[in-house]
Every structure is written in C-alpha cells, then in structure tokens.
Amino acid sequence: MIYLKSDEEIELLRESNQIVAKTLAEMAKIIKPGVSTLDLDKRAEEFIRDMGGVPGFLGYGGFPGSICTSVNDQIVHGIPSEEVVLQEGDIISVDCGVLKNGFHGDSAYTFCVGEVAPEIKDLLRTTKESLYKGIEQAFEGRRIGDIASAVQTYCEERGYSVVREMVGHGVGRSLHESPEVPNYGRKGNGIQLKTGMTISIEPMINMGTRRIIFERDGWTTRTADGKPSAHFEHSVAISQGKADILSSFEYVEQIIGKEF
Ligand code: MG
Ligand code: MG
C-alpha cells in the first residue's frame, strides 16, 4: 500500500533529508586517500546525532553501519570497514539515511577520491544526470515507468548498463515503502503518480555489464566484470502535482565544486 503524505509530513521528510544532505557534505570534507570507510561511518554517525537525528540504516535488517560505503566496482550496500582504505583514483558511493520525527531521509552521492580517470568521471556525470532525467518525469499523472524509462534510456544511450536487482522505493515512516521505483522499464507502465507520494529515485549504473555479484557478507553488491559502478539518489515528493526534491547535493557541491 502506498502512504500519501500531508504537506506537514512532507516538511518533516524534508528536515530528515536536509540532515542527510549535510551529512554527505561532511563526507565530502574528509574523503581523501588514506581515509577508511569506517572513519567516514564514525563521522557520519556523530554528525547525524549532533543534528538531532538517528542513523536510519544502523541496525536496519541487521546492517552494521550508519552509511553504506561502496567503492569502485561495489554498487551499493558496502559495509564500512577499517580495512577499506581509500586510494587516489577511487570512487566511493556514500548512501546515507536519517530518521527524525518518525520520518526517513535517504540520499546518496558518488565521490571522487583525488584525481579520477576521465572515463570514470563520465560515468559519474551521466548517472547524476540520469537521476534528474528521472525526476523530470516525477509529477502528477505520470507513471513509475516514465521515471524508469527516462533513467534507462539516458544511460543506455551513452553505453552504460542499468542494475536491475536493486531499485528505488517509496519513503516515509518506513525507509522502504511501496511503490518500487526501478531504473529500467517502459513508458506509461506502472503506478500513476499523485500528490502526496514520496519516493527515492536512485540510479545504479555500471560502466560494463549489468550483471552483479552478491558478496558473502550478505550485503555488498559488486559488478560481475569488476568495472566501476555509480549511484546517486534523491528523495522526492509529488507536492501540489510537481516534483519537490527533499534532499540536496548543494551542500556537497559547495565543498567539492563540480568535479564531473
Ligand atoms: Mg539510499
Ligand atoms: Mg534508497
């Protein structure tokens, strides 16, 4: 069942998502060669709690971290670890959730570590752009398939592949609500969007094959060919018929500028 949110509830979702956005900016400040993904996780948890929130991912389904940290060919759901130390030329997706006032924020950004190869920056740019192509379709009367098709077409036309196994989702009092929001599909298919729906749109786009591997840790997903994967996510409300982006990359990009 899809829970429609009131304007007041959408404002609470915005508050949680703005803490997520600022947490991602904290990550932007400290991501550099030599930093471990556990260092990032500790800082994220401390910052989220300082802002009066609770890390939404911590303990979710048994997940041990406050953020998901997925490096290079890892797609999503990487577990923060002191053994994973960032190196020059890596990319890292940080997916962050914050629970405050009973509502979940959820957003992700893929960062460059030092200088990254131009073809990998192209993947990052395309993935981020595809997220906004999806958001352009997120208004009253359109369907989930319109978002899905916009993301898929944009990425596949540029030679990339779309992960099928993990998808976006409704978001609200639960981190994952109905409906599912895939990054592949056909225009005109699926549930129709209406005011009060709140969804997380999150393209996971691979440079090579779309096939993936689930690692033995029960969480991490990785590309089957070892090529890089990128991930960007916004939480979006359909508010008065139109897309209202509740999360933000503005704070991140104030720190790192436009890297790609
Ligand atoms: Mg997320
Ligand atoms: Mg999500």
Side-chain angles (χ1 to χ4, degrees), residues 30-230:
I30 59 174
I31 285 173
K32 57 172 183 270
V35 170
S36 79
T37 55
L38 189 65
D39 294 332
L40 299 179
D41 184 74
K42 284 182 183 158
R43 177 66 190 131
E45 178 171 6
E46 177 185 54
F47 184 80
I48 290 166
R49 294 192 190 282
D50 283 350
M51 299 292 281
V54 171
F57 297 173
L58 187 60
Y60 183 88
F63 190 77
S66 292
I67 51 174
C68 298
T69 51
S70 307
V71 178
N72 296 336
D73 60 332
Q74 295 178 340
I75 302 163
V76 288
H77 301 162
I79 299 173
S81 164
E82 62 186 345
E83 285 162 28
V84 180
V85 176
L86 298 177
Q87 296 181 38
E88 181 83 20
D90 284 349
I91 54 171
I92 176 172
S93 156
V94 178
D95 194 346
C96 180
V98 167
L99 177 63
K100 191 176 180 188
N101 300 314
F103 286 90
H104 285 272
D106 187 12
S107 177
Y109 197 94
T110 303
F111 298 90
C112 295
V113 182
E115 198 47 52
V116 164
E119 64 270 25
I120 298 177
K121 285 187 180 177
D122 288 343
L123 170 69
L124 299 185
R125 188 179 59 253
T126 301
T127 306
K128 189 169 74 164
E129 287 171 352
S130 79
L131 168 59
Y132 290 101
K133 293 291 172 190
I135 292 170
E136 279 176 18
Q137 298 297 319
F139 58 88
E140 179 122 23
R142 286 295 164 109
R143 292 181 181 274
I144 293 291
D146 296 321
I147 297 173
S149 164
V151 171
Q152 180 180 16
T153 303
Y154 193 79
C155 293
E156 288 184 351
E157 278 176 356
R158 286 157 182 79
Y160 302 118
S161 67
V162 176
V163 171
R164 305 288 206 273
E165 288 82 352
M166 286 86 60
V167 296
H169 50 89
V171 64
R173 288 192 182 275
S174 298
L175 178 58
H176 295 122
E177 299 184 350
S178 289
E180 289 195 341
V181 185
N183 298 300
Y184 62 95
R186 273 196 244 138
K187 269 188 203 171
N189 273 14
I191 284 163
Q192 198 163 33
L193 300 172
K194 54 181 167 181
T195 289
M197 286 179 62
T198 49
I199 55 175
S200 294
I201 304 175
E202 50 179 316
M204 290 156 258
I205 306 299
N206 296 348
M207 185 173 276
T209 181
R210 72 174 172 84
R211 288 188 306 113
I212 75 166
I213 293 168
F214 289 90
E215 289 195 3
R216 271 184 233 139
D217 64 16
W219 285 103
T220 312
T221 54
R222 188 184 280 284
T223 60
D225 59 7
K227 291 186 179 170
S229 184

